Amino acid sequence: MIRGMVIDLEKCIGCRSCVVACKQHNAQPAGNWWNRVFTPGSSRHLSPPEKGREYFLPVHCQHCRNAPCEKVCPVGATYKHDDGTVLVDFERCVGCRYCMAACPYGVRQFNWEDPKKAMKRYEYQNEYTYGHPKDYRLNGRLVYMQSRFKGVVEKCNFCVHYLDQGLDPACVRACPGKARHVGDLDDPDSNVSKMIRDKNGFNLLAEKGTEPTVFYLPPKRKEG
Amino acid sequence: MELNRRSFMKMSLAAGTAASLDMKFFSYAGAEAASQKTGVETVTRSTCSPNCTGACGFNVHVTDDRITTLIQSADYPEKSYNPRGCLRGLSMMNLVYGKDRVKYPLIRTGERGSGEFRKASWEEALDYAAEKLKNIMEKYGPEAVGLTVQVPGTGYVHKGAFVRMAGLAHWSIHHGYDQNGDLPMFWPMTFGVQTEELESLEWPNARYTMVFGSNLIQTRLPDAHHLIEAKKNGKLVVFDPDYCSTAAKADEWVPLKPDTDAAMGLGMAKVIIDRKLYDENFLKDFTDMPILVRKDTGKRVRAKEVKDLVSQAEKRKIPDYRDLFVIHTEKGFEILNPERLDPSGAELEGEYQVELVDGRKVEVRTVFSEFRESLKEYTLDKVSSITEAPAEQIERVAIEAATNKPLHIIYGASNYQWYNGDLKGRALSLLPVLTGSIGKSGGGISSYAGQYRIRFNLKEWWFPSGGKLNWVPYLYFLQGKGKRYPKKGIKAMVGGWGNPFDQHNMSNRLKDRTTSGDIEFVATFDFSMTTSCQWSDVVFPATSWYENYELTATILHPYLQLQQPAIQPMFESKTAFWVARELSKRLNPEFEKYFFPELDTNAASQKIIEILLETGGFETKGITLDMLKKGPVRLHSTVPDDRQIPFYDQIHERVPFPPQSYPPPLKATAKFLKSGRIEFYKDEDLFLKMGEQLPVHKETFADTEYKVDPEARKKYRLRFVTKNSLYRVHSTHSNNVWLNELQGHKPKVFLNEADAGERQINAGDFVEIYNNRGKTKAYAVIDSGCRKGTAIFEQGWWARYLKNESYNSLTMPWIKPLHEIYFVPGIWTPTTAWNECLVDVRRISV
Amino acid sequence: MSNSKKIGFLVTGLLMIAGFVAWIYQYKEGLVLTNMRNSYSWGLYVSGLAFFVGNAAGGLVLSSLIYLFGVKSLKPFAKIGALTAFANVTAAMISILPDIGQPIRLYHMLLHPNLNSPLVWDVIVLNLYAALSLIYLYILMLPDLKGPLAKIALKVDQPKEFSEKWAKRLAPFSLVAAMGIHVITAWIFATQGGRDWWNSAVLAPDFIAVAVASGTAVVFIVSLLTYGFKNEHQQAYRSMAIIIATAYFVHIFLMYNDFIIHYWYGAHEALETLSITFIDYGLAHAFEVLAPLAAVILLLNKKIRQSSGAMISSCILLILGVFAHRFLLMPAAFDKIQLSMNPLGLQHNYWSVPISSGQYDPFIDTFVTKWHYFPSAIEITIFLGVIAFMCFVVLFAMDRFPIAGEAEA
Ligand SMILES: Nc1nc2c(c(=O)[nH]1)N[C@H]1C(S)=C(S)[C@@H](COP(=O)(O)OP(=O)(O)OC[C@H]3O[C@@H](n4cnc5c(=O)[nH]c(N)nc54)[C@H](O)[C@@H]3O)O[C@H]1N2
Ligand SMILES: Nc1nc2c(c(=O)[nH]1)N[C@H]1C(S)=C(S)[C@@H](COP(=O)(O)OP(=O)(O)OC[C@H]3O[C@@H](n4cnc5c(=O)[nH]c(N)nc54)[C@H](O)[C@@H]3O)O[C@H]1N2
Ligand code: SF4
Ligand code: SF4
Ligand code: SF4
Ligand code: SF4
Ligand code: SF4
Ligand SMILES: [Mo]
């Protein structure tokens, strides 16, 4: 089973709900965003590009099958789970940021300072912190924790901490546009496989050979 | 926890003043619970209920009395509604725990607006407020206290408690609908209702959807997918001067000049009529089109004026709010039955001579004929030159719309928030009427403003017997005059759920009047320290929808839902019910009994919900609190499957228009449609005088800006369109740290490159937007999608983000006299026209 | 100890202490004290790695020339070469320590090395090279380990012959190892298919060329400082000047070869990286090309080679140019966002997806498409500390060990 995601750009309304859901469910400290949505061609989100067509593009870790971030990591802190998800072991990452240099999608985020300190910049009352509160270990490796260490790298983990509960990733559950889907890429009959096949699914930077498991469906489709 | 709160009250009573109280003890009502960190997670289902009125169900995950995550509950029985919610709802923790959360009652110590307060105990703050209010009531009469309550339908219990208090104390009250400009006046004029709309689940059933100035992708975000789905079996055409994100998603975008929608509607109506694409039977049975109009007076012919019909008319018993009008059938003149919409055999077109009671013969013709005549002006070329849209496109779209039924029109708030917004709505509603799309699944006309009609009868809780409310349109309050404005003025503002000092202080009137002392006292109830709180004398900390019980509804879907406490009220926040009880009893000890003195807040709230459900009428029949605790429950309607399709009964059961708009009784609004039909012809004197008996197009600013200052044409050359931002619900979320981060922390004004170039403004420049009423500042965005001649400002910033210069210092409380013909609060009343505003923009150095 | 030596120790010592203190501070506060951010994730420290690795070429050049190609004139500089090689390769390793977010966890490199990672290879070869240059130095010093140093001397019958023999035997290995450190360090960058600026087959040979130039220049300087100007070394000076010049021209050839190929083809990605180098960093680029060129022209001039000061200055100019070259490894890689595209309907428009910088500031945008990097004071202090360390090692070794000890030509 290879977990894959399909993002339908025709349905995506650029609302950034997925961005915010990801932010809170994964407890990302100030200045740190695993997921982002922009308007291609425009310097301002939701403003049309000059003369071009306005559509919206969500980007987070593409969970590449041929993941350069995984290959370069000197200590195997970035690694691939059986289902294809590319994860970061927070206890092992040494913070060399080699993976950030290697990832062509700009999705990796570094804890430049202690996340607790970064969180203070949001000036919450009562030292509030948000996010899924429990650590999550997958085969013993710490792949989710609410408050990360200073000096480690993090990124979209396909909401691995919800895996056991059988829950879809937060961005999928939060998407009011119904633009996001997850499923098994190995199964040709899965919802995602069908969509990719029937609706011309494509990858970002396919030419880089990273073989992402996140697929996009083209915007501006008229469906009969 | 209730024990805590009550013992707190007792203690504070004993202690006299709060100064002796250890505030920390209450800083977290659930201190004990929270201190024993159990790490156990609870999940509570509540409803996000800001003034966008999306009313989206959320699951609140809580550990140790803290919200950890929020996620849509996605529990609506129709899958299509799931997952309802948006980025604002998903980041609500930033307001619940944000630095601007109001923690405890505050009493002003500094100058007005200085933001200097001292922390007070509830006891002290309540006493202080009650004392001030009592003084004002004694000095100027009780109606000198004005209550504002925004968006009542999102909070039947707590908002009701404030209204109940105001009623008991005989205060004045403002209706949020017209205050916000959310009231589209074409609705009462044409359909006799406050507003109506399809539930968004119905959108995909339209074969043709036309959106006129509603940026649904941003403003009806959780429902927007239904619009995209409507493209599957139909076509989506967006009419908007701006290439907004909704236009971007459309099959076709019609860029039209702002405020020319009436001409557009009339031009298309002409195409449909000229090509005989209209539904003749629909017009005959359900509209005033066959009614005869006198050519001499312009009035509709009343049966009692007609010699042959007078005796028959006198015998007919009809309610006061109806009138007997005359039609012509093959049998001659006949009375049109206002109480049934059965086929009447009326002729739709024709000119006749009718003999009046006094023997005079007058020329008459049908409304339809009258209308055809008036449409002669709206040739495609003329309409194209007014709207600046290609004639070819107008014609083609009109034909497509008339031949792909049902047609659904969505008429947006920004579009009707113009002085002549009513004319636009009247013209646009012609299209679904001509095509017979009203009352059908997926068809009709809808407006989705923030405010919305009350969904069931709430009298039992809101309006206690013996209570009296003096409804004062907000524009009268701002202007300081008007028919219902109290003689001695309004001297005290009590408000909640709104932020008028940013959102409504047109020409900065509120600030000036509080500064001058004209308004003597302001009390605000909010969970965030808004600009209005900054300008208040007393601030009461409120609970959010994750800290209390409440009953909510919305327009976008017909589900009743609960707000339920997921965490203890933060700090010393209280519900409005509790505040109303405490404040009322200080105003008059007699009032306490109206507020369940024997129950604590949560118990009382639930009790009130039960009462509301029991007395709500057929809409809430059979719905119980227990059912609601399990999840959303559909309100009943007369449509199969309880769908929300306006005028279903009128069309399918042939009962007269209008249906009731809560809370007033039917007779209050039925008088707008004396014929019992959809009326395009209005013959009240003022309509005739203004030449608006039928929908027409009028030039923008002619009766407003250009009239008060002819120079404005040259001095202020940009239309100031203030629209809603994705990142805020008006000013709510103005301080949301994540959402501000996503916007680069900057208020922005959007300008067309030509307008910017002319003013030497580059992208990112800091600019001033000004007119002779006021000014504000923002960063320029050069946006090719923004129409030339328009400056778009995304409203909703707190003054502190705008160097304390509000965008609403630029706007103006225009009143259109037609809106004063009748008065039914929030239904037929002067309504605000935000966009009727001219400005210019200049670059400034920072 | 001579005064200049004392000053040398004092200055390098103080700088080392300052660098160390700065590092401790940075360790406590996090890398937020640097000016790197998510979109620009490597800066001065990693440039430093490449720079020092380049300088470490000294050992290779000399040993291979002397022992493989029989350039005898260089023999007096052999030990210096081995010493600067050792000092620089250690400095290279040290310079990336402050770049590591969790240095304490580096033991994971031993516990869980990912053998796919060029960084792991690099760590291995750098260590090997450090060991090798130390052994090499030791072997060359062996005949001179007398007096108190005798106790660390290997007991062999004929130290001189032994040293000679083993130096010769080790030469090919050190050549391979030196090639190795440059090739593999280059591979760290060149394997990044995502970064067009680095992803080039000429990067590794170019690294070697640059290293030969700068490594030789380092030896050149140290030799002049050690022995002063000596006419008898004229032959050696000339050889070194020629080595440097050749290496420099090879480097310029490789670099421009790459540029021209990309420029000619004109793919947008490539043009953008070139424009960063030629426009945004035009001055720095001019410096990286012209400073070494000037140095080379000077060094090739006989008259210049009559003055120790002039030669040292030329070499310093060259090294500064090489440093600029190493610094420029980053901007064109990080100032361009790889996730760029032609948006629908904008075929000629090239648009980058902004990246969250990792820094929250209520007055600036978190999402950036360009991050103007210049090292922070902390980074510069730490980096100077590393340079000081390198100099200190050289000074210290020269002071304590018989490195300057003249060997007959
Ligand atoms: N995100 C978000 N959602 C909200 C709210 C919010 O604050 N934020 N507020 C809620 C409330 S209270 C309201 S009232 C609604 C309002 O929501 P909408 O009705 O969508 O109103 P706006 O977003 O102000 O403007 C919609 C469009 O009207 C266009 N427009 C302006 N003038 C004209 C005109 O003359 N003709 C035509 N054809 N178009 C015109 C503008 O260009 C704009 O694109 O949104 C509700 N939903
Ligand atoms: N220039 C210009 N001005 C406009 C508009 C425009 O288009 N242009 N739009 C107008 C329109 S359409 C509208 S609807 C109005 C909206 O105007 P308002 O309704 O005044 O605006 P909001 O910012 O939504 O204010 C809601 C306040 O209620 C508080 N609140 C929310 N929930 C609760 C609760 O449960 N309890 C209590 N006590 N407080 C709560 C929030 O913190 C917030 O401060 O603005 C109008 N103003
Ligand atoms: S997108 Fe980047 S971080 Fe994610 S797997 Fe691919 S290379 Fe790694
Ligand atoms: S930063 Fe962490 S995850 Fe990335 S390569 Fe280095 S050790 Fe691996
Ligand atoms: S899958 Fe989870 S971590 Fe990844 S973008 Fe979605 S919400 Fe964020
Ligand atoms: S939540 Fe869904 S519709 Fe909104 S931006 Fe994300 S993917 Fe697009
Ligand atoms: S802010 Fe409005 S649309 Fe968004 S989740 Fe809350 S109620 Fe729904
Ligand atoms: Mo509104």
Side-chain angles (χ1 to χ4, degrees), chain B residues 51 150 180 182 497 499 503 525-526 530 542 722 731-732 808 834:
Chain B
N51 292 4
Q150 288 276 20
N180 298 326
D182 285 349
W497 305 276
N499 176 18
Q503 293 305 106
F525 178 66
D526 207 310
T530 61
T722 40
S731 72
T732 311
N808 270 329
W834 305 105

PDB file of all heavy atoms in Angstrom, chain B residues 51 150 180 182 497 499 503 525-526 530 542 722 731-732 808 834, ligand 2:
ATOM      1  N   ASN B  51     -20.119  36.536  12.978  1.00  0.00           N
ATOM      2  CA  ASN B  51     -21.142  37.222  12.199  1.00  0.00           C
ATOM      3  C   ASN B  51     -21.144  36.893  10.714  1.00  0.00           C
ATOM      4  O   ASN B  51     -21.910  37.468   9.965  1.00  0.00           O
ATOM      5  CB  ASN B  51     -21.006  38.736  12.395  1.00  0.00           C
ATOM      6  CG  ASN B  51     -21.361  39.129  13.813  1.00  0.00           C
ATOM      7  OD1 ASN B  51     -21.624  38.268  14.649  1.00  0.00           O
ATOM      8  ND2 ASN B  51     -21.384  40.415  14.092  1.00  0.00           N
ATOM      9  N   GLN B 150     -26.003  42.190  17.190  1.00  0.00           N
ATOM     10  CA  GLN B 150     -25.751  41.759  15.814  1.00  0.00           C
ATOM     11  C   GLN B 150     -26.201  40.325  15.581  1.00  0.00           C
ATOM     12  O   GLN B 150     -26.060  39.472  16.461  1.00  0.00           O
ATOM     13  CB  GLN B 150     -24.252  41.862  15.513  1.00  0.00           C
ATOM     14  CG  GLN B 150     -23.776  43.283  15.363  1.00  0.00           C
ATOM     15  CD  GLN B 150     -24.011  43.816  13.964  1.00  0.00           C
ATOM     16  OE1 GLN B 150     -24.836  43.282  13.223  1.00  0.00           O
ATOM     17  NE2 GLN B 150     -23.308  44.863  13.607  1.00  0.00           N
ATOM     18  N   ASN B 180     -26.091  47.075   9.148  1.00  0.00           N
ATOM     19  CA  ASN B 180     -24.973  46.565   8.370  1.00  0.00           C
ATOM     20  C   ASN B 180     -25.130  46.786   6.885  1.00  0.00           C
ATOM     21  O   ASN B 180     -24.222  46.490   6.125  1.00  0.00           O
ATOM     22  CB  ASN B 180     -24.839  45.069   8.615  1.00  0.00           C
ATOM     23  CG  ASN B 180     -24.540  44.778  10.066  1.00  0.00           C
ATOM     24  OD1 ASN B 180     -23.856  45.536  10.718  1.00  0.00           O
ATOM     25  ND2 ASN B 180     -25.083  43.691  10.559  1.00  0.00           N
ATOM     26  N   ASP B 182     -27.039  44.985   5.301  1.00  0.00           N
ATOM     27  CA  ASP B 182     -27.289  43.640   4.811  1.00  0.00           C
ATOM     28  C   ASP B 182     -28.714  43.478   4.296  1.00  0.00           C
ATOM     29  O   ASP B 182     -29.043  42.475   3.668  1.00  0.00           O
ATOM     30  CB  ASP B 182     -27.042  42.615   5.927  1.00  0.00           C
ATOM     31  CG  ASP B 182     -25.555  42.424   6.173  1.00  0.00           C
ATOM     32  OD1 ASP B 182     -24.765  42.911   5.352  1.00  0.00           O
ATOM     33  OD2 ASP B 182     -25.192  41.797   7.185  1.00  0.00           O
ATOM     34  N   TRP B 497     -21.624  41.524  20.430  1.00  0.00           N
ATOM     35  CA  TRP B 497     -21.538  40.783  19.165  1.00  0.00           C
ATOM     36  C   TRP B 497     -21.282  41.705  17.982  1.00  0.00           C
ATOM     37  O   TRP B 497     -21.525  41.332  16.853  1.00  0.00           O
ATOM     38  CB  TRP B 497     -22.813  39.962  18.938  1.00  0.00           C
ATOM     39  CG  TRP B 497     -23.137  39.041  20.057  1.00  0.00           C
ATOM     40  CD1 TRP B 497     -22.627  37.794  20.238  1.00  0.00           C
ATOM     41  CD2 TRP B 497     -24.021  39.287  21.155  1.00  0.00           C
ATOM     42  NE1 TRP B 497     -23.146  37.240  21.389  1.00  0.00           N
ATOM     43  CE2 TRP B 497     -23.997  38.131  21.962  1.00  0.00           C
ATOM     44  CE3 TRP B 497     -24.827  40.358  21.536  1.00  0.00           C
ATOM     45  CZ2 TRP B 497     -24.753  38.028  23.141  1.00  0.00           C
ATOM     46  CZ3 TRP B 497     -25.576  40.246  22.703  1.00  0.00           C
ATOM     47  CH2 TRP B 497     -25.539  39.101  23.481  1.00  0.00           C
ATOM     48  N   ASN B 499     -18.913  45.405  16.546  1.00  0.00           N
ATOM     49  CA  ASN B 499     -17.803  46.322  16.803  1.00  0.00           C
ATOM     50  C   ASN B 499     -18.056  47.618  16.041  1.00  0.00           C
ATOM     51  O   ASN B 499     -17.351  47.937  15.094  1.00  0.00           O
ATOM     52  CB  ASN B 499     -16.502  45.638  16.370  1.00  0.00           C
ATOM     53  CG  ASN B 499     -15.301  46.549  16.518  1.00  0.00           C
ATOM     54  OD1 ASN B 499     -15.341  47.559  17.242  1.00  0.00           O
ATOM     55  ND2 ASN B 499     -14.236  46.215  15.828  1.00  0.00           N
ATOM     56  N   GLN B 503     -16.747  49.189  12.539  1.00  0.00           N
ATOM     57  CA  GLN B 503     -17.587  48.755  11.433  1.00  0.00           C
ATOM     58  C   GLN B 503     -18.669  49.754  11.059  1.00  0.00           C
ATOM     59  O   GLN B 503     -19.250  49.671   9.999  1.00  0.00           O
ATOM     60  CB  GLN B 503     -18.212  47.395  11.769  1.00  0.00           C
ATOM     61  CG  GLN B 503     -17.207  46.266  11.864  1.00  0.00           C
ATOM     62  CD  GLN B 503     -16.378  46.137  10.608  1.00  0.00           C
ATOM     63  OE1 GLN B 503     -15.218  46.492  10.586  1.00  0.00           O
ATOM     64  NE2 GLN B 503     -16.972  45.650   9.532  1.00  0.00           N
ATOM     65  N   PHE B 525     -19.989  44.295  25.384  1.00  0.00           N
ATOM     66  CA  PHE B 525     -19.869  42.920  25.839  1.00  0.00           C
ATOM     67  C   PHE B 525     -19.182  42.145  24.725  1.00  0.00           C
ATOM     68  O   PHE B 525     -19.756  41.967  23.655  1.00  0.00           O
ATOM     69  CB  PHE B 525     -21.284  42.395  26.098  1.00  0.00           C
ATOM     70  CG  PHE B 525     -21.352  40.969  26.527  1.00  0.00           C
ATOM     71  CD1 PHE B 525     -20.832  40.575  27.746  1.00  0.00           C
ATOM     72  CD2 PHE B 525     -21.966  40.012  25.716  1.00  0.00           C
ATOM     73  CE1 PHE B 525     -20.908  39.242  28.149  1.00  0.00           C
ATOM     74  CE2 PHE B 525     -22.044  38.694  26.129  1.00  0.00           C
ATOM     75  CZ  PHE B 525     -21.515  38.311  27.339  1.00  0.00           C
ATOM     76  N   ASP B 526     -17.950  41.733  24.935  1.00  0.00           N
ATOM     77  CA  ASP B 526     -17.212  41.069  23.857  1.00  0.00           C
ATOM     78  C   ASP B 526     -16.139  40.177  24.466  1.00  0.00           C
ATOM     79  O   ASP B 526     -15.755  40.364  25.623  1.00  0.00           O
ATOM     80  CB  ASP B 526     -16.549  42.118  22.939  1.00  0.00           C
ATOM     81  CG  ASP B 526     -16.346  41.592  21.523  1.00  0.00           C
ATOM     82  OD1 ASP B 526     -15.802  40.487  21.375  1.00  0.00           O
ATOM     83  OD2 ASP B 526     -16.750  42.296  20.587  1.00  0.00           O
ATOM     84  N   THR B 530     -11.847  44.886  21.351  1.00  0.00           N
ATOM     85  CA  THR B 530     -11.996  45.544  20.052  1.00  0.00           C
ATOM     86  C   THR B 530     -11.873  47.051  20.198  1.00  0.00           C
ATOM     87  O   THR B 530     -11.803  47.580  21.316  1.00  0.00           O
ATOM     88  CB  THR B 530     -13.388  45.268  19.483  1.00  0.00           C
ATOM     89  OG1 THR B 530     -14.338  45.817  20.407  1.00  0.00           O
ATOM     90  CG2 THR B 530     -13.660  43.790  19.327  1.00  0.00           C
ATOM     91  N   ALA B 542     -16.863  38.402  27.652  1.00  0.00           N
ATOM     92  CA  ALA B 542     -17.861  37.421  27.204  1.00  0.00           C
ATOM     93  C   ALA B 542     -17.226  36.055  26.985  1.00  0.00           C
ATOM     94  O   ALA B 542     -16.028  35.939  26.743  1.00  0.00           O
ATOM     95  CB  ALA B 542     -18.487  37.898  25.900  1.00  0.00           C
ATOM     96  N   THR B 722     -15.675  48.640  -0.312  1.00  0.00           N
ATOM     97  CA  THR B 722     -15.102  47.960   0.855  1.00  0.00           C
ATOM     98  C   THR B 722     -15.697  46.573   0.908  1.00  0.00           C
ATOM     99  O   THR B 722     -16.856  46.400   1.228  1.00  0.00           O
ATOM    100  CB  THR B 722     -15.445  48.736   2.133  1.00  0.00           C
ATOM    101  OG1 THR B 722     -16.785  49.209   2.034  1.00  0.00           O
ATOM    102  CG2 THR B 722     -14.523  49.899   2.334  1.00  0.00           C
ATOM    103  N   SER B 731     -14.558  42.586  11.492  1.00  0.00           N
ATOM    104  CA  SER B 731     -13.363  42.855  12.291  1.00  0.00           C
ATOM    105  C   SER B 731     -13.001  41.686  13.202  1.00  0.00           C
ATOM    106  O   SER B 731     -11.984  41.720  13.875  1.00  0.00           O
ATOM    107  CB  SER B 731     -13.563  44.126  13.114  1.00  0.00           C
ATOM    108  OG  SER B 731     -14.469  43.880  14.151  1.00  0.00           O
ATOM    109  N   THR B 732     -13.825  40.657  13.191  1.00  0.00           N
ATOM    110  CA  THR B 732     -13.466  39.483  13.991  1.00  0.00           C
ATOM    111  C   THR B 732     -12.316  38.779  13.258  1.00  0.00           C
ATOM    112  O   THR B 732     -12.381  38.643  12.041  1.00  0.00           O
ATOM    113  CB  THR B 732     -14.680  38.552  14.151  1.00  0.00           C
ATOM    114  OG1 THR B 732     -15.795  39.328  14.557  1.00  0.00           O
ATOM    115  CG2 THR B 732     -14.421  37.465  15.163  1.00  0.00           C
ATOM    116  N   ASN B 808     -14.121  53.570   7.852  1.00  0.00           N
ATOM    117  CA  ASN B 808     -15.502  54.029   7.919  1.00  0.00           C
ATOM    118  C   ASN B 808     -15.609  55.504   8.287  1.00  0.00           C
ATOM    119  O   ASN B 808     -16.703  56.022   8.479  1.00  0.00           O
ATOM    120  CB  ASN B 808     -16.322  53.150   8.864  1.00  0.00           C
ATOM    121  CG  ASN B 808     -16.936  51.997   8.092  1.00  0.00           C
ATOM    122  OD1 ASN B 808     -17.248  52.132   6.917  1.00  0.00           O
ATOM    123  ND2 ASN B 808     -17.099  50.868   8.745  1.00  0.00           N
ATOM    124  N   TRP B 834     -22.692  51.039   1.948  1.00  0.00           N
ATOM    125  CA  TRP B 834     -21.251  51.228   2.150  1.00  0.00           C
ATOM    126  C   TRP B 834     -20.528  51.713   0.921  1.00  0.00           C
ATOM    127  O   TRP B 834     -19.600  52.510   0.996  1.00  0.00           O
ATOM    128  CB  TRP B 834     -20.607  49.917   2.613  1.00  0.00           C
ATOM    129  CG  TRP B 834     -21.245  49.366   3.828  1.00  0.00           C
ATOM    130  CD1 TRP B 834     -22.095  48.296   3.908  1.00  0.00           C
ATOM    131  CD2 TRP B 834     -21.125  49.881   5.153  1.00  0.00           C
ATOM    132  NE1 TRP B 834     -22.497  48.117   5.194  1.00  0.00           N
ATOM    133  CE2 TRP B 834     -21.915  49.063   5.991  1.00  0.00           C
ATOM    134  CE3 TRP B 834     -20.423  50.941   5.717  1.00  0.00           C
ATOM    135  CZ2 TRP B 834     -22.030  49.278   7.358  1.00  0.00           C
ATOM    136  CZ3 TRP B 834     -20.538  51.155   7.086  1.00  0.00           C
ATOM    137  CH2 TRP B 834     -21.335  50.332   7.886  1.00  0.00           C
TER     138      TRP B 834
HETATM  139  N1  LIG D   2     -17.035  50.247   5.126  1.00  0.00           N
HETATM  140  C1  LIG D   2     -17.703  49.123   5.346  1.00  0.00           C
HETATM  141  N2  LIG D   2     -18.183  48.869   6.560  1.00  0.00           N
HETATM  142  C2  LIG D   2     -18.868  47.735   6.765  1.00  0.00           C
HETATM  143  C3  LIG D   2     -19.104  46.820   5.740  1.00  0.00           C
HETATM  144  C4  LIG D   2     -18.586  47.103   4.455  1.00  0.00           C
HETATM  145  O1  LIG D   2     -18.747  46.322   3.512  1.00  0.00           O
HETATM  146  N3  LIG D   2     -17.897  48.262   4.312  1.00  0.00           N
HETATM  147  N4  LIG D   2     -19.818  45.679   5.986  1.00  0.00           N
HETATM  148  C5  LIG D   2     -20.852  45.825   6.929  1.00  0.00           C
HETATM  149  C6  LIG D   2     -21.492  44.543   7.211  1.00  0.00           C
HETATM  150  S1  LIG D   2     -22.175  43.698   5.893  1.00  0.00           S
HETATM  151  C7  LIG D   2     -21.600  44.029   8.445  1.00  0.00           C
HETATM  152  S2  LIG D   2     -22.496  42.591   8.689  1.00  0.00           S
HETATM  153  C8  LIG D   2     -21.007  44.718   9.562  1.00  0.00           C
HETATM  154  C9  LIG D   2     -20.472  43.779  10.613  1.00  0.00           C
HETATM  155  O2  LIG D   2     -20.136  44.510  11.705  1.00  0.00           O
HETATM  156  P1  LIG D   2     -19.961  43.841  13.133  1.00  0.00           P
HETATM  157  O3  LIG D   2     -20.950  42.764  13.276  1.00  0.00           O
HETATM  158  O4  LIG D   2     -19.909  44.902  14.125  1.00  0.00           O
HETATM  159  O5  LIG D   2     -18.515  43.255  12.932  1.00  0.00           O
HETATM  160  P2  LIG D   2     -17.733  42.086  13.593  1.00  0.00           P
HETATM  161  O6  LIG D   2     -16.346  42.439  13.431  1.00  0.00           O
HETATM  162  O7  LIG D   2     -18.159  40.796  13.034  1.00  0.00           O
HETATM  163  O8  LIG D   2     -18.086  42.205  15.114  1.00  0.00           O
HETATM  164  C10 LIG D   2     -18.446  41.143  15.851  1.00  0.00           C
HETATM  165  C11 LIG D   2     -17.941  41.305  17.242  1.00  0.00           C
HETATM  166  O9  LIG D   2     -18.622  40.397  18.048  1.00  0.00           O
HETATM  167  C12 LIG D   2     -17.737  39.692  18.850  1.00  0.00           C
HETATM  168  N5  LIG D   2     -18.317  38.394  19.095  1.00  0.00           N
HETATM  169  C13 LIG D   2     -18.346  37.336  18.274  1.00  0.00           C
HETATM  170  N6  LIG D   2     -18.965  36.307  18.878  1.00  0.00           N
HETATM  171  C14 LIG D   2     -19.351  36.731  20.084  1.00  0.00           C
HETATM  172  C15 LIG D   2     -20.046  36.123  21.154  1.00  0.00           C
HETATM  173  O10 LIG D   2     -20.417  34.957  21.093  1.00  0.00           O
HETATM  174  N7  LIG D   2     -20.278  36.897  22.228  1.00  0.00           N
HETATM  175  C16 LIG D   2     -19.904  38.188  22.271  1.00  0.00           C
HETATM  176  N8  LIG D   2     -20.189  38.887  23.309  1.00  0.00           N
HETATM  177  N9  LIG D   2     -19.218  38.775  21.290  1.00  0.00           N
HETATM  178  C17 LIG D   2     -18.955  38.063  20.218  1.00  0.00           C
HETATM  179  C18 LIG D   2     -16.464  39.655  18.093  1.00  0.00           C
HETATM  180  O11 LIG D   2     -15.380  39.557  18.966  1.00  0.00           O
HETATM  181  C19 LIG D   2     -16.490  40.987  17.358  1.00  0.00           C
HETATM  182  O12 LIG D   2     -15.844  41.964  18.092  1.00  0.00           O
HETATM  183  O13 LIG D   2     -19.974  45.584   9.137  1.00  0.00           O
HETATM  184  C20 LIG D   2     -20.429  46.513   8.225  1.00  0.00           C
HETATM  185  N10 LIG D   2     -19.387  47.504   8.001  1.00  0.00           N
END
